[in-house]
Each structure stands twice: as C-alpha cells, then as structure tokens.
Amino acid sequence: FQIRLKKILDPYDIHQNTLILLNDITSVVEAEKKVARARDFYLTLFEEFPAMIWRATADGQFDYFNRAWLVFTGQSLEEQKGFGWARGVPEADRERFINVYAEAIREKKAFEIELRLRRYDGQFRWVLDVGQPFYSLEGDFAGFVGTCYDITERKMQEEELSYLAMHDPLTGLPNRRMMEVVMPRLVEQTELGINSVLFLMDLDNFKQVNDRFGHMVGDELLIELGKILKRQLREGDLLVRLGGDEFAILLDGIERGEAEQVAKRLLDSVANHQFSTPIESIKLCLSLGVVLIADKKSPEIFIALADAAMYQAKEGGGNQYVFAS
C-alpha cells in the first residue's frame, strides 16, 4: 500500500487538517521492480503489461512507451517519443514536470509527480508518474524507466473530502469551520481601519415546521432558505450554515448603515417568500443579531454579542434584527 498525506487548506492556504489515504499499488510495485532491471531485451516483456511504462535515455529523451501507454493516449510510438507525449499535458503541469525531471536527471535520483495527461478520448486524466534511474552493465547512468497509472478517482475523492471538511453537506454552504477560519482575518484587518459585520440568524418557530411536515421537508426548506439568503449578498460575502436552522453571514468591508440595509433585505426576502410543502405553502421569518467588527477583540466575543442580539430579536416577536451595542 501507498500511504499519502494531503493537507486540507483553508481559503487563505493555511493548513487546517490532513487527509490520510491508502492506495493498493501492488501491481505498480511489481512493475517497478521489473522495470528497474529493464534492458532493451526485456522491453518486450512490458508490451502486454497492464501498467503504463516508459523509458528515457541518459540525456532525458523518452525513447520507449509500452502498449498500455499508447492505448491510453491513442498515439503512436513515434508521436510520443522525445517529448512528443508532453503535448498531451496542460502547460502548468508540463512546467512542473520539466522542473522535477530536470532535477532528477541532474542528481540521477528517483522522482514521482502527479499530472494531467490527455486520454485517447480527449479527456484529461490525473496520473501518478514514477521514474527510477537505471544503469548500464558497466555501472554507468543510462537514463530512467518508469510507470504511470491513472489516479483520477483518487484525486476526486481527495477533493470531495477537502470540500466536505469546510462545507455543510445538506446545503453545500460553508460550515462553522470556515467561519472560524475567516473571522480572525476580519478582526485583524480592523487595525487597518477596515470594518466588517457578523450576522447570526435562525428561523422563527422552525421546530413546528419539522414537527408538522417532517425533517425531510424541513431540510428542503433549509436548502431553499440558503438560496434566498445568497441572492441578497455580494459575491464575496460569506454565508455559513452553522447547524439546524441557524446561519451566519460575514460581510467584509462594510459599515453599520450598509449592514442595516442588508438586514432589512434579508428579512423582507424571507418574509415575502412562499415556502412550498407537500401539504401547503407556508411563510417563515428570520430573527437576526448583528454586530459590527470594528476593533480587535476575540472572535468569540463578537459571536456571543451577535448571538445575544439574535435572541433579543426573537424574544421581541421575531421577523426583525437587533444591532448589538
């Protein structure tokens, strides 16, 4: 098995968590062992091997690709030789490969790199390319032999896990963890004179919706609510589902007057919307707590202030906002 560690980065490219993935690479290891002993005589052994195999000379030129490689790319051996195969690699990946490969040749060391390679049907697939140096019978460096296998499904799983770490699975909105990452940045920028606003909100009497229509209907209403709220915000604003019917919004670079206008739009957009259920259409309302992030305090303090303001709005009858003092 190959054990791989993948960092989960937040929107600021800060390491937050680590994914640990295990991949069965038994066939690849077997191929590498055979390839490491390869000479021209043995290349014929690899023609029917299922793994994609290549060879390069001491000056770095690729001079052999087995049948599996040629079937994958849909190209002839002559088209792939030299660096012809690299025409099927996106420019950004090609530049990364050239840098890694040049260092491997210079130091005569093994390398591995993930890149996208165009398949015969025109689709780009992620592949793991592993190269090993090999030597002549006299002990001189003779070039590289390597294997390459499709890891597209694994890459998709990694991306999905990274996404789920920062997003709510029901609504697809960013989750509480995302808010915990972004808020300290907004607090820090108050020292530059840039203010932000935090909204905390939930639906009034949403428990009655679940009790009457069931949780599946309640979930559908929450998804619909997320879309309604999103339409009232700027492209760069952050809408977060905290859990249940509780949501948060972070507005970057905004003052109190503008925030109050946004609060009114949010209240009106929900109060005037007809939410559909299998039985009937219903109306729902929000209670909002709003706090201005204008000085350097702990994010937890701003959250507590907004939370208290939200419950004040709810105790006042709902369908209103309260600005934390």
Side-chain angles (χ1 to χ4, degrees):
F1 283 85
Q2 176 191 61
I3 300 175
R4 301 183 63 83
L5 304 179
K6 177 177 175 60
K7 293 180 179 179
I8 297 178
L9 304 179
D10 64 26
Y12 305 100
D13 292 332
I14 304 298
H15 181 200
Q16 297 295 329
N17 293 288
T18 302
L19 294 177
I20 302 175
L21 302 105
L22 281 76
N23 300 286
D24 186 346
I25 57 170
T26 304
S27 62
V28 175
V29 172
E30 292 173 353
E32 290 175 357
K33 289 178 180 178
K34 293 181 179 181
V35 169
R37 300 190 297 270
R39 299 294 185 271
D40 287 342
F41 174 76
Y42 294 108
L43 292 181
T44 57
L45 298 178
F46 301 130
E47 282 304 293
E48 301 302 325
F49 206 86
M52 298 161 61
I53 298 173
W54 55 265
R55 184 183 70 173
T57 57
D59 62 358
Q61 294 296 310
F62 292 77
D63 67 346
Y64 170 79
F65 297 90
N66 74 338
R67 190 190 306 268
W69 179 290
L70 300 179
V71 169
F72 181 90
T73 61
Q75 301 285 312
S76 68
L77 179 60
E78 290 304 316
E79 289 174 314
Q80 297 286 277
K81 277 186 175 181
F83 273 86
W85 67 274
R87 290 193 293 268
V89 177
E91 183 177 355
D93 292 2
R94 186 163 60 243
E95 290 179 1
R96 283 194 301 108
F97 177 84
I98 290 173
N99 291 334
V100 170
Y101 189 48
E103 181 181 357
I105 293 174
R106 185 168 58 253
E107 299 185 11
K108 300 179 178 59
K109 69 175 185 179
F111 71 91
E112 74 172 51
I113 185 172
E114 296 177 359
L115 50 82
R116 288 163 293 177
L117 181 64
R118 187 166 54 231
R119 199 168 58 180
Y120 64 89
D121 58 2
Q123 181 182 359
F124 283 100
R125 303 284 291 181
W126 280 101
V127 298
L128 176 63
D129 195 2
V130 181
Q132 295 280 349
F134 74 96
Y135 296 84
S136 68
L137 295 176
E138 293 75 28
D140 298 324
F141 173 68
F144 286 90
V145 286
T147 56
C148 194
Y149 65 99
D150 192 329
I151 59 168
T152 304
E153 281 68 32
R154 192 201 80 197
K155 293 287 288 187
M156 292 173 63
Q157 290 175 346
E158 291 178 3
E159 292 173 3
E160 181 178 0
L161 290 170
S162 296
Y163 179 86
L164 290 176
M166 290 285 184
H167 290 79
D168 171 52
L170 175 66
T171 62
L173 295 172
N175 60 15
R176 183 183 297 271
R177 180 60 186 146
M178 183 76 83
M179 188 175 82
E180 292 172 350
V181 168
V182 173
M183 272 204 71
R185 304 279 175 157
L186 300 184
V187 172
E188 287 291 332
Q189 71 181 16
T190 59
E191 294 186 332
L192 303 175
I194 302 174
N195 295 337
S196 303
V197 167
L198 168 65
F199 288 82
L200 287 186
M201 68 196 78
D202 69 9
L203 286 168
D204 299 328
N205 302 318
F206 184 66
K207 184 178 183 300
Q208 297 177 11
V209 174
N210 280 332
D211 292 343
R212 182 179 178 189
F213 301 108
H215 287 278
M216 289 185 64
V217 171
D219 286 348
E220 291 298 322
L221 294 185
L222 291 175
I223 295 171
E224 190 173 358
L225 174 64
K227 295 176 181 177
I228 294 169
L229 298 176
K230 189 73 174 175
R231 287 197 291 267
Q232 306 306 315
L233 304 177
R234 301 169 302 181
E235 185 173 347
D237 295 334
L238 182 67
L239 172 62
V240 174
R241 185 190 178 210
L242 299 175
D245 63 329
E246 190 172 1
F247 291 76
I249 295 174
L250 285 168
L251 305 178
D252 188 4
I254 192 171
E255 298 297 337
R256 176 170 180 144
E258 297 173 271
E260 291 185 350
Q261 293 300 315
V262 174
K264 292 173 183 176
R265 289 205 310 270
L266 292 170
L267 292 172
D268 290 344
S269 66
V270 175
N272 295 328
H273 184 80
Q274 290 281 350
F275 290 86
S276 297
T277 76
I279 300 175
E280 60 183 281
S281 294
I282 60 174
K283 290 203 170 201
L284 298 171
C285 297
L286 289 175
S287 290
L288 280 85
V290 190
V291 62
L292 184 67
I293 303 174
D295 53 8
K296 196 170 181 181
K297 296 176 184 173
S298 166
E300 288 74 19
I301 293 177
F302 290 112
I303 293 172
L305 289 170
D307 193 54
M310 180 184 72
Y311 279 101
Q312 187 178 344
K314 190 173 292 291
E315 290 170 358
N319 194 25
Q320 61 181 297
Y321 71 90
V322 170
F323 223 110
S325 56

